[in-house]
Amino acid sequence: MLGISLDENVTLISDTVRFLKAHGREVVYDAEHFFDGYAANPDYALRSLEAAADAGADVLCLCDTNGGTLTGRLAEVVAEVRKRFDGVLGIHCHNDSDLAVANTIAAVEAGVTHVQGCLNGYGERCGNANLASVIALLDAKLGHSTIGPEKLTSLTSVAHYVAELANLPCLRALRLSAAARSHTKAESTSAPY
């Protein structure tokens, strides 16, 4: 595909990351097609991450570029990567199988701390992980602090505003942000549920 050997590609990864770090840049290494690559050749997929990490990448971001990895398998692979690599791991999921949000949440539960996506899930083909849904789930269901309770209460209106600007539909109902809003309000007033 690239017309180079696997070894040459690992060298390119390493050289590129080193070059960027030498010029004072933050490097988020997006391992495109990582999960498909891991399925075909796990040793090489891990070598590519190792090359980026050893060269100083700030984030190793695992990409489900084709959006076809099932959630259970994605969580297993992320857990295996987490065992092998310290530092910041990221996730970038496409939504071709309508699993981008579920896969993103599973990756966070398996040790990822850097999340990529798009508000309302907009993106190429079938889109990416919907950050509005991811944020609401992380905050309301998993107890993570994301954007803070004040901003969480306006998540639905921001999603609708972005949809209006983009002239695209806001297809996903953001019921969780409303639930999180109620939860936050109840906590702040110490009222029983």
Side-chain angles (χ1 to χ4, degrees):
M1 308 234 197
L2 294 175
I4 60 174
S5 71
L6 298 181
D7 289 336
E8 288 171 312
N9 193 47
V10 167
T11 300
L12 283 175
I13 292 167
S14 180
D15 290 350
T16 302
V17 172
R18 274 197 175 78
F19 175 84
L20 293 169
K21 292 305 292 180
H23 287 84
R25 307 302 282 205
E26 177 184 27
V27 177
V28 176
Y29 174 66
D30 278 357
E32 290 289 336
H33 299 277
F34 179 78
F35 293 96
D36 292 327
Y38 188 92
N41 188 342
D43 291 335
Y44 174 70
L46 293 169
R47 272 184 62 210
S48 73
L49 294 179
E50 186 176 350
D54 289 350
D58 298 286
V59 177
L60 300 177
C61 190
L62 312 178
C63 301
D64 186 21
T65 309
N66 288 330
T69 306
L70 296 178
T71 306
R73 182 62 181 148
L74 182 134
E76 289 170 4
V77 173
V78 171
E80 183 61 34
V81 171
R82 175 81 281 164
K83 284 186 222 170
R84 294 170 180 255
F85 294 95
D86 293 326
V88 180
L89 284 183
I91 190 70
H92 177 108
C93 295
H94 285 257
N95 204 33
D96 299 66
S97 296
D98 210 22
L99 294 171
V101 170
N103 284 351
T104 299
I105 297 302
V108 169
E109 290 180 313
V112 161
T113 57
H114 171 99
V115 171
Q116 295 180 0
C118 299
L119 198 59
N120 297 335
Y122 301 146
E124 66 181 326
R125 296 185 323 272
C126 298
N128 298 90
N130 179 356
L131 286 179
S133 299
V134 170
I135 289 166
L137 286 164
L138 290 174
D139 221 288
K141 297 290 188 179
L142 295 176
H144 291 277
S145 178
T146 57
I147 59 174
E150 298 81 23
K151 291 179 182 173
L152 189 63
T153 61
S154 63
L155 191 56
T156 299
S157 61
V158 170
H160 286 286
Y161 178 70
V162 168
E164 186 177 314
L165 286 177
N167 196 27
L168 292 168
C170 186
L171 299 175
R172 297 192 180 18
L174 300 175
R175 291 185 203 106
L176 277 174
S177 64
R181 199 170 35 245
S182 298
H183 180 72
T184 302
K185 185 176 181 182
E187 282 182 348
S188 66
T189 61
S190 299
Y193 293 111

